Amino acid sequence: MNRERERNIITRRQLLQAGGLLAGTALCAQMFPGALSARASAGAFARTAQQRAGAAPTDVLAAMRAQMGAIPIETVNLADNLTLLLGPGGNVVVLHGPEGKIVVDSFVQPAWTKLKQAIDGMGNAPLKLLIDTHWHWDHTDNNAHFHDAGAMILAHENTKKRLTESHDVLGMHFDPSPASALPTQSFKERHTMQANGESLELGYIPPAHTDTDIYVHYQKANVLHCGDVFFNGMYPFIDAGTGGSITGQIAGADKMLKMADNNTRIVPGHGPLGDKAALMKYRDVIVTVRDRVAKLKSGGKKLDEVLAAKPSAEFDAAWGKGFLMPNDFVTIVYNTL
């Protein structure tokens, strides 16, 4: 990871913290039951976060969109007709060719113009389809733009359901999405298609990061997009408010590992392009932390005592530089066990 990309990730993390990650009584109670009685309670966490990262912006969602939207797009060629785009939101993959462009995920709204320019540079074929790996805004924020550009939108049926609801996540409020931003087609377990010489398999991942997660497997190119079931090189955020849990996240990683071989290129929801070894390392880190926290919790330790025990300490220098600080991740693990 280069210094500019690392700086951008850290800035996003700090903004999340300043904006009230785990803060707000109702949100904290919904996502992390029991946390309000711990030292890392909503108010204490917010005060600590503001000390670390400055005063919280008035509109956290607008600030996050602006901050993330300013990140440059990086391009990685996966095959002659398959391109990975990294930067302003969840990682995007574009399958391009004469039968139309099929895009997985869509960055954040302010990045639409440069995303569209990048896609337009991949040939004259029209936008055919957008696939959402799950419902979160940094993956679905440009659904309406894709729809207006003529693309169909495909997702798991739970993604469509979640997008029709109001949500409060990480200090940000989301109203129900407009009709133009909703999936036009959905599936329950599995969906396959052929396009531009590629065979795609889409499959549901039982509740992991959320209850809306899917994978996209490009079988000819041997590329697997895992969405946010895989955060490469950083602790994952897990959205308990829409069905996520640490146990589900680990099970999702196990499912992806069974689909991969040593030559599979694995696209995480966030972080650089990985492979089976990188996914295995990620899985081992979160399993180790989960097991340590579970042992402490089953022994009667409260959250503040678990945090004081520092169950993630050996990984923090490398893995605590992404979206979540170490204590934030441990708190999520504790409260989703």
Side-chain angles (χ1 to χ4, degrees), residues 3-315:
R3 289 187 176 181
E4 178 66 17
R5 184 161 176 79
E6 182 174 353
R7 182 188 67 79
N8 286 326
I9 287 175
I10 292 171
T11 301
R12 294 201 302 273
R13 181 196 70 210
Q14 290 172 336
L15 184 56
L16 281 170
Q17 292 164 344
L21 175 60
L22 310 184
T25 302
L27 174 62
C28 191
Q30 175 190 3
M31 295 180 64
F32 307 103
L36 295 179
S37 63
R39 291 179 188 171
S41 64
F45 189 97
R47 288 192 295 273
T48 302
Q50 290 171 12
Q51 290 169 0
R52 285 197 301 258
T58 302
D59 187 334
V60 182
L61 179 56
M64 281 294 294
R65 279 187 168 129
Q67 182 73 25
M68 296 179 74
I71 298 170
I73 294 176
E74 301 174 27
T75 301
V76 177
N77 291 325
L78 301 173
D80 289 342
N81 63 345
L82 196 64
T83 303
L84 168 63
L85 303 176
L86 307 97
N91 291 333
V92 170
V93 172
V94 185
L95 175 65
H96 42 94
E99 296 177 61
K101 296 166 184 171
I102 297 175
V103 183
V104 176
D105 289 343
S106 67
F107 289 150
V108 296
Q109 285 181 11
W112 167 247
T113 298
K114 58 186 177 183
L115 173 59
K116 183 65 162 53
Q117 289 173 346
I119 295 172
D120 287 346
M122 299 176 194
N124 297 323
L127 280 174
K128 180 179 181 180
L129 179 68
L130 173 66
I131 299 169
D132 295 334
T133 60
H134 62 291
W135 80 268
H136 281 159
W137 67 286
D138 54 323
H139 299 256
T140 62
D141 221 18
N142 282 304
N143 275 15
H145 281 127
F146 273 87
H147 179 268
D148 292 345
M152 303 289 284
I153 303 172
L154 174 63
H156 189 263
E157 61 186 16
N158 288 350
T159 293
K160 184 172 184 178
K161 174 180 180 292
R162 293 300 188 186
L163 288 174
T164 64
E165 301 169 344
S166 296
H167 298 281
D168 291 282
V169 181
L170 298 174
M172 297 175 285
H173 176 74
F174 299 90
D175 290 322
S177 297
S180 62
L182 297 177
T184 53
Q185 183 180 0
S186 62
F187 68 95
K188 184 173 184 176
E189 295 295 337
R190 185 172 175 268
H191 182 90
T192 60
M193 67 181 79
Q194 304 283 327
N196 299 319
E198 182 60 80
S199 298
L200 287 78
E201 179 188 72
L202 287 63
Y204 181 55
I205 303 169
H209 172 68
T210 67
D211 62 7
T212 69
D213 304 308
I214 66 167
Y215 64 83
V216 182
H217 188 196
Y218 304 86
Q219 295 175 322
K220 182 178 179 180
N222 197 13
V223 170
L224 179 62
H225 195 321
C226 299
D228 279 5
V229 174
F230 179 26
F231 282 64
N232 192 9
M234 65 190 82
Y235 292 135
F237 169 65
I238 299 169
D239 185 358
T242 55
S245 71
I246 183 59
T247 300
Q249 191 81 344
I250 292 166
D254 287 338
K255 182 181 180 74
M256 298 301 96
L257 284 167
K258 290 178 181 177
M259 296 180 60
D261 60 37
N262 291 335
N263 296 314
T264 306
R265 283 165 294 176
I266 302 180
V267 178
H270 297 276
L273 179 66
D275 55 15
K276 189 171 185 178
L279 179 56
M280 179 64 76
K281 177 63 176 175
Y282 164 80
R283 186 259 183 202
D284 289 347
V285 168
I286 63 175
V287 165
T288 299
V289 177
R290 187 275 310 268
D291 289 349
R292 291 172 179 171
V293 172
K295 182 177 180 180
L296 291 165
K297 185 173 183 178
S298 65
K301 300 296 185 183
K302 302 299 183 184
L303 176 58
D304 58 344
E305 296 173 303
V306 173
L307 294 172
K310 299 186 180 302
S312 65
E314 70 185 89
F315 308 116

